[in-house]
Amino acid sequence: MTTNDSAASPSPEVLRYAAFTTDPAGGNPAGVVLDAAGLDDAAMPAIAARLGYSETAFLTARNPGAPGTAEPVYDVRYFAPKAEVPFCGHATVAAAVALAERDGTGAGGYLFATPAGEVPVAVDTVGGVPRATLTSVAPHVEAAGADDVAEALAALDWSADELDADLPPRIAFAGARHLVIAAATRDRLARLDYDVPRLEALMRRLGLTTVQLVRRASADVFHVRDPFPVGGVVEDPATGAAAAAFGAYARELGLVPATSVLTLHQGEDMGRPGVLTVTLREGDERVRVSGTAVRIPA
């Protein structure tokens, strides 16, 4: 079902989806507005704030489409309750599934023109369930300053000896910037009670969207959590943008082979479990993130 929320008239249809799950009570809820052409820069953040999800995606169809591409092209903006973000993975997955369902195809290909760059998204079905795969913009990984890491740990109330030395802190980007910090134990990851204003101040100074907290469970399976205070959300339940950035991080540090499929579990500690699949391809620097999405009933 849908809700009508808008500061403009007429009110646009606001869809609600849960991404990276097949359970409406799991994964990460996202708002999706498939026709945002009539919304201005005040209306979009107002809708996102009222909805209260970590992000809402606002799509505007281009006509004609971009030269050289057969896929429908959409300009997309993403708003959290407190801020606009350059790219959001879970809202991208939700929006692509919503488009495929609206178009009655159950599958399709789309090109999302986001503030971070162009993001191709493909939708297929697996066992009758729609699944979207986004392909990130070109990623990069950079060093994290020792003082900045120390400040992050202080805000998190973590100590340096609770970190995994094989996964050193880095700032990773695949559409948005994320500070990656790896815990040495699953128990440390499970206990998240941080100083919200202190971490938010650090993140704003460094231009971060989330801090991605990671625990490696096996060679290609990871548990992750993402504090998101800059967006007005204490924690993001499933974070596709951070998953793409983490894929770039894992490849850059040589943690996984050049061609790999990683499984990220997120949201378990929040009671909203989700699964994100990260695919790396040798010879292609971009990162692919896949996941299901399901409509949230009113």
Side-chain angles (χ1 to χ4, degrees), residues 9-265:
S9 181
S11 297
E13 185 177 42
V14 182
L15 309 176
R16 303 170 187 243
Y17 277 78
F20 300 111
T21 182
T22 57
D23 180 356
N28 198 355
V32 177
V33 177
L34 294 180
D35 183 6
L39 300 178
D40 60 22
D41 285 353
M44 287 184 279
I47 291 170
R50 285 199 296 274
L51 194 57
Y53 292 159
S54 55
E55 274 101 2
T56 297
F58 296 85
L59 282 66
T60 303
R62 286 189 186 177
N63 189 19
T69 180
E71 297 104 348
V73 181
Y74 291 86
D75 292 305
V76 186
R77 296 175 70 180
Y78 307 93
F79 286 88
K82 283 177 54 175
E84 183 173 10
V85 297
F87 177 66
C88 170
H90 87 277
T92 293
V93 166
V97 169
L99 284 171
E101 292 183 340
R102 183 200 67 182
D103 297 342
T105 62
Y110 307 96
L111 183 64
F112 285 5
T114 79
E118 292 187 345
V119 176
V121 192
V123 181
D124 60 4
T125 56
V126 178
V129 177
R131 180 188 64 178
T133 298
L134 67 88
T135 300
S136 78
V137 299
H140 62 260
V141 179
E142 63 190 72
D147 290 344
D148 294 331
V149 173
E151 176 63 11
L153 294 179
L156 292 166
D157 196 23
W158 288 22
S159 62
D161 61 6
E162 292 177 304
L163 303 185
D164 185 339
D166 293 332
L167 280 71
R170 293 287 190 274
I171 294 175
F173 169 91
R177 285 164 57 85
H178 307 267
L179 173 61
V180 181
I181 299 177
T185 66
R186 181 69 178 88
D187 177 68
R188 172 64 278 180
L189 184 67
R191 293 181 288 112
L192 182 61
D193 183 15
Y194 67 94
D195 184 328
V196 173
R198 187 172 184 177
L199 189 62
E200 180 178 356
L202 172 68
M203 293 173 66
R204 291 193 181 281
R205 179 166 62 80
L206 297 179
L208 303 175
T209 297
T210 75
V211 175
Q212 185 164 61
L213 307 175
V214 180
R215 168 59 185 162
R216 190 172 197 172
S218 68
D220 54 8
V221 177
F222 299 84
H223 295 273
V224 298
R225 302 186 74 172
D226 282 82
F228 185 33
V230 296
V233 178
V234 172
E235 183 178 356
D236 209 12
T239 317
F246 181 75
Y249 164 95
R251 178 171 53 199
E252 177 76 14
L253 272 65
L255 301 176
V256 297
T259 296
S260 300
V261 178
L262 313 179
T263 300
L264 276 56
H265 295 277

Side-chain angles (χ1 to χ4, degrees), residues 275-296:
V275 178
L276 303 87
T277 301
V278 175
T279 302
L280 305 174
R281 297 181 182 176
E282 187 170 10
D284 187 348
E285 65 178 337
R286 300 171 302 171
V287 181
R288 289 160 176 81
V289 178
S290 303
T292 54
V294 63
R295 191 80 164 264
I296 298 173

